[in-house]
Amino acid sequence: MSRNDAAPGTVTAPPGRIRRMLSHLYVQCLIAVLLGAAVGGLWPSVGADLKPLGDGFIALVKMFIAPIIFCTVVHGIASMGNARAVGRVSLKALVYFEVLTTVAMVIGLVVVNVVQPGSGLHIDLSSLSAKGLPPEATTAHEGFAAFLLATIPATLVSALTGNEILPVLLVSVLFGFGLHASGEAGLGIARGVEKFSTVLFTLIRWIMRLAPIGAFGSMAFTIGNYGLGTLRHLALLVGSFWLTALFFVLVVLGTVMRLNGLRMLPFLRYIKEELLIVLGTSSTEPVLPRMMAKLQHAGASKPVVGITLPAGYSFNLDGTAIYLTMGSVFLAQALGIHLSLTQQLAMLAVMLLTSKGAAGVTGSGFIALAATLSAVPHVPVAALALIFGVDRFMSEARALTSLVGNGVATLAVARWEGELDEERAKAVLRGEIPYTPAPAPSAVPAEPDPKETPAPTHDPVPAAR
């Protein structure tokens, strides 16, 4: 039967509309997440074997993160008229990070003391063992001085080949200042860096087409390997953590957006594709390049985005901050260990340091919690075995909260610095100026027509004002 011969009363969607809907990345990722959950639930062994799909996608994106940060920061600083602005942006960003991280920890501390999800479990410590925990959770953790020294790479190039963001940021800032101070000699290199970044963003655009496959594999592994049945015993902890993270995003971060003349819900709609990718992969790293491009498209200047967003991946992990306070106090409650207010505040002070070493990768929050427990004598590290089985189900909330928090931080710092086009930002969030990834560069660049206005690319905002 043809489409025109359909039975009376039958409603059929136009094939063109369905194709347009399926062409959106966020729709593809949503379908992939649902299919991955179904496969993991129905065929657990098959789902657990699909882990390489998610790991492979994350590895492909991580391959480009260091050079993209390098190019963005270097070109941004080299094109700035006032080099002191970099230090001012960095200082404002760090102050914002510390304030919001502290607020997140305090909220988590209040919720876990009010809800008390661990009370009544009466776990015997002698029945717990650290044998099943990841090796990173049971090894000695570096101090603050060692953490600072680790930001200095062995060589200029090794920063771009490692797995840490802070060494890349350090080298990028120094190299950018060097080009800025070199005057005419650095102009050619700065232009080359900008053109190279265009190629990198094009490659990322191609790789992001694989995001649904990565989300499918990661979600299938999570459900297949851990199973929804593990949530029954610790449902109160997982549920209260997700609700606390949602409260932090909508109320605390929503207030920050309001104070800067913007609204949270339109911003969440604007980054819905990135949120679904993070939900599927439990990692914020795959969406870092797209977040940088989208924040620039929303009116934030390139230098502010290049400095604030990557730094936030190490210094502004709001989701991990909530997890640290809730997780540590929950374990104390489950073991019947009473923590006084003074002891909890002392743990919070330690967490302000241990949370900075947690990168935006899967499971890093769990390692940061292990570092916290090893630094304070109140709760033994072996107690982590209680929540290891459900940690993956809280990892998604940690990553989602941290991603939104870093996006809000970038817009806020850009506005405070006078480097945010507010009218453009409002128009973008309203959907009046849709985001379109940069097209692939042609093999032979055409000469620009002086009579025509060049079309905007992924970096529509001037690098500096």
Side-chain angles (χ1 to χ4, degrees), residues 170-192:
L170 175 64
V171 169
S172 303
V173 170
L174 292 177
F175 199 83
F177 275 126
L179 289 183
H180 187 277
S182 299
E184 199 69 31
L187 288 179
I189 298 178
R191 282 194 292 265

Side-chain angles (χ1 to χ4, degrees), residues 3 128 167 187 206 223 281 288 311 315 322 372 378 383 405 416 453 464:
R3 181 168 173 264
L128 300 177
L187 288 179
W206 292 346
I223 303 299
T281 61
L288 176 57
F315 291 102
I322 297 172
T372 301
H378 312 307
W416 299 340
T453 302

Side-chain angles (χ1 to χ4, degrees), residues 15-94:
R17 182 181 301 176
I18 295 177
R19 281 196 298 269
R20 285 195 300 271
M21 184 183 301
L22 293 177
S23 67
H24 293 296
L25 183 62
Y26 74 92
V27 175
Q28 298 171 10
C29 289
L30 179 60
I31 295 174
V33 167
L34 295 176
L35 288 177
V39 170
L42 296 174
W43 304 286
S45 59
V46 175
D49 291 338
L50 294 176
K51 187 175 185 288
L53 293 179
D55 292 346
F57 169 70
I58 294 175
L60 278 174
V61 179
K62 287 180 67 175
M63 180 172 59
F64 292 96
I65 287 179
I68 283 178
I69 292 176
F70 178 81
C71 292
T72 303
V73 175
V74 167
H75 179 260
I77 294 177
S79 60
M80 292 185 74
N82 182 11
R84 292 183 180 178
V86 177
R88 194 168 59 245
V89 169
S90 302
L91 180 61
K92 289 180 179 179
L94 290 177

Side-chain angles (χ1 to χ4, degrees), residues 92-171:
K92 289 180 179 179
L94 290 177
V95 171
Y96 174 93
F97 294 160
E98 286 304 314
V99 171
L100 266 290
T101 299
T102 305
V103 170
M105 288 184 175
V106 170
I107 290 176
L109 205 59
V110 171
V111 171
V112 76
N113 278 283
V114 171
V115 179
Q116 296 191 355
S119 296
L121 292 181
H122 305 297
I123 302 297
D124 183 7
L125 181 59
S126 62
S127 65
L128 300 177
S129 174
K131 290 182 179 179
L133 299 178
E136 298 86 353
T138 55
T139 54
H141 298 277
E142 60 183 16
F144 185 66
F147 169 71
L148 291 179
L149 290 175
T151 63
I152 305 176
T155 65
L156 185 71
V157 179
S158 65
L160 303 180
T161 59
N163 295 319
E164 299 295 331
I165 290 179
L166 288 181
V168 181
L169 201 55
L170 175 64
V171 169

Side-chain angles (χ1 to χ4, degrees), residues 119 140 238 285 298 307 325 353 380 382 418 447 460:
S119 296
V238 177
E285 284 200 329
I307 294 172
T325 49
L353 299 179
E447 290 295 328

Side-chain angles (χ1 to χ4, degrees), residues 255-429:
T255 300
V256 175
M257 290 287 281
R258 281 287 188 181
L259 292 175
N260 289 280
L262 303 173
R263 293 189 297 143
M264 175 56 70
L265 292 182
F267 178 67
L268 294 179
R269 285 195 296 268
Y270 178 57
I271 61 170
K272 58 182 178 292
E273 294 178 349
E274 290 71 31
L275 292 174
L276 284 171
I277 294 172
V278 170
L279 176 64
T281 61
S282 297
S283 175
T284 56
E285 284 200 329
V287 298
L288 176 57
R290 282 179 62 93
M291 284 294 292
M292 295 177 74
K294 277 198 166 183
L295 290 170
Q296 292 174 40
H297 178 74
S301 69
K302 192 171 187 177
V304 173
V305 173
I307 294 172
T308 307
L309 190 63
Y313 268 56
S314 291
F315 291 102
N316 189 43
L317 301 174
D318 297 327
T320 299
I322 297 172
Y323 172 79
L324 290 178
T325 49
M326 294 191 69
S328 57
V329 177
F330 165 82
L331 294 176
Q333 294 171 351
L335 296 174
I337 301 174
H338 174 71
L339 294 177
S340 65
L341 179 60
T342 303
Q343 290 173 323
Q344 293 186 32
L345 292 178
M347 291 181 67
L348 189 148
V350 173
M351 292 170 190
L352 286 174
L353 299 179
T354 55
S355 64
K356 306 311 177 192
V361 297
T362 306
S364 59
F366 187 80
I367 306 305
L369 180 57
T372 301
L373 297 183
S374 64
V376 294
H378 312 307
V379 182
V381 176
L384 288 171
L386 286 175
I387 61 174
F388 180 60
V390 297
D391 176 76
R392 181 77 183 205
F393 296 100
M394 293 186 283
S395 179
E396 288 92 347
R398 292 199 302 263
L400 290 169
T401 306
S402 298
L403 177 70
V404 177
N406 285 322
V408 171
T410 304
L411 293 176
V413 172
R415 184 178 183 273
W416 299 340
E417 188 63 18
E419 292 288 339
L420 176 68
D421 188 337
E422 296 182 43
E423 294 303 318
R424 179 183 178 86
K426 293 176 181 178
V428 168
L429 297 187

